[in-house]
Amino acid sequence: MPRSVGLALAVLASLGLLPFACAYRARYTPGPQPRVHLVLDMDNQPRFEAQQANPLFADGRAMRPWPEGTVPRGRLAGDERVFRGRDGGGWVETIPIPVDESLMRRGRERYEIFCSPCHGLAGHGDGIVARRAERLQEGSWVPPASFHQDLVRARPDGHLFNAITNGIRTMPAYGSQIPERDRWAIVAYVRALQRSQRASLEDVPAELRAKIR
């Protein structure tokens, strides 16, 4: 066989493998576009992202609101002081469940997970997300409130519970992510943070005051 014919056959054979190599690369290499699917089975279905528009519905939203009157599966809301933070027409002034060391520890843990990214570990509104947003200077960021402002300190415990549950200003609602008891635990820990920033000598146990002096 002439050498040129053999070389031509080798080139043709290499070109014949090229479509398979491209298909393999598209199927198994990570990238911003979906992988090539010859069969559109159930692992690659059309869907809407969160907050995306959908012209199918009259309000144009893909995310559908809960039907009115629905309740969480497995339980019904009981005492509105515990489940809503309300007492008749107003907010409850104090936490309506027992506050002990276990609840405070739980509150600190949940606070550091859900709240500290914006409000900061000490509650001054200087969390890592807030600092990042201030550096970007995009103009649409609303700084998180400091828990040590007189306005926030004066709010009833039920008001803070409701802010966690349903959101306030640009803060989103966390009611679907944090159970009621954990929300009250966060409120208890926020109160502890507030007290820590305005502590007096009388807050220290008597047997330890001499060491501070």
Side-chain angles (χ1 to χ4, degrees), residues 86 91 115 118-119 140-147 149 151-175 183 187 190:
R86 300 192 69 88
W91 303 114
C115 312
C118 289
H119 290 282
S140 58
W141 174 253
V142 179
S146 169
F147 296 134
Q149 300 174 5
L151 176 64
V152 180
R153 290 175 60 88
R155 286 171 177 164
D157 289 345
H159 187 287
L160 300 183
F161 177 86
N162 180 72
I164 300 171
T165 305
N166 300 308
I168 186 171
R169 298 194 303 168
T170 55
M171 172 182 156
Y174 286 92
R183 277 175 257 161
V187 173
V190 168

Side-chain angles (χ1 to χ4, degrees), residues 101-162:
E101 183 177 353
S102 174
L103 189 77
M104 294 294 294
R105 290 184 180 276
R106 180 67 175 179
R108 176 178 180 177
E109 179 191 53
R110 297 293 95 182
Y111 175 90
E112 292 179 353
I113 293 173
F114 291 101
C115 312
S116 67
C118 289
H119 290 282
L121 290 173
H124 290 286
D126 57 352
I128 188 172
V129 173
R131 296 198 303 269
R132 171 67 173 168
E134 289 176 358
R135 285 197 299 267
L136 292 177
Q137 292 292 322
E138 294 181 343
S140 58
W141 174 253
V142 179
S146 169
F147 296 134
H148 307 293
Q149 300 174 5
D150 290 338
L151 176 64
V152 180
R153 290 175 60 88
R155 286 171 177 164
D157 289 345
H159 187 287
L160 300 183
F161 177 86
N162 180 72

Side-chain angles (χ1 to χ4, degrees), residues 17-203:
L17 294 174
L18 189 60
F20 297 99
C22 292
Y24 180 87
R25 181 179 183 279
R27 182 68 179 86
Y28 293 102
T29 302
Q33 300 297 325
R35 297 173 177 175
V36 175
H37 267 64
L38 300 180
V39 178
L40 295 178
D41 45 16
M42 293 184 65
D43 64 345
N44 186 21
Q45 302 181 70
R47 62 186 178 86
F48 289 97
E49 299 291 345
Q51 308 297 341
Q52 193 171 358
N54 183 358
L56 176 65
F57 299 103
D59 59 6
R61 299 186 301 172
M63 297 175 64
R64 308 312 307 147
W66 289 352
E68 185 177 356
T70 56
V71 295
R73 181 178 178 180
R75 62 169 175 77
L76 295 174
D79 185 357
E80 72 165 5
R81 291 168 50 85
V82 175
F83 287 92
R84 298 183 58 207
R86 300 192 69 88
D87 186 9
W91 303 114
V92 295
E93 294 291 334
T94 57
I95 298 174
I97 63 174
V99 178
D100 52 20
E101 183 177 353
S102 174
L103 189 77
M104 294 294 294
R105 290 184 180 276
R106 180 67 175 179
R108 176 178 180 177
E109 179 191 53
R110 297 293 95 182
Y111 175 90
E112 292 179 353
I113 293 173
F114 291 101
C115 312
S116 67
C118 289
H119 290 282
L121 290 173
H124 290 286
D126 57 352
I128 188 172
V129 173
R131 296 198 303 269
R132 171 67 173 168
E134 289 176 358
R135 285 197 299 267
L136 292 177
Q137 292 292 322
E138 294 181 343
S140 58
W141 174 253
V142 179
S146 169
F147 296 134
H148 307 293
Q149 300 174 5
D150 290 338
L151 176 64
V152 180
R153 290 175 60 88
R155 286 171 177 164
D157 289 345
H159 187 287
L160 300 183
F161 177 86
N162 180 72
I164 300 171
T165 305
N166 300 308
I168 186 171
R169 298 194 303 168
T170 55
M171 172 182 156
Y174 286 92
S176 61
Q177 301 179 58
I178 309 176
E180 288 84 6
R181 179 177 173 80
D182 285 353
R183 277 175 257 161
W184 285 119
I186 292 174
V187 173
Y189 185 68
V190 168
R191 293 307 193 197
L193 286 177
Q194 293 173 335
R195 185 169 181 176
S196 71
Q197 299 301 303
R198 296 193 179 186
S200 64
L201 187 62
E202 286 68 28
D203 294 318

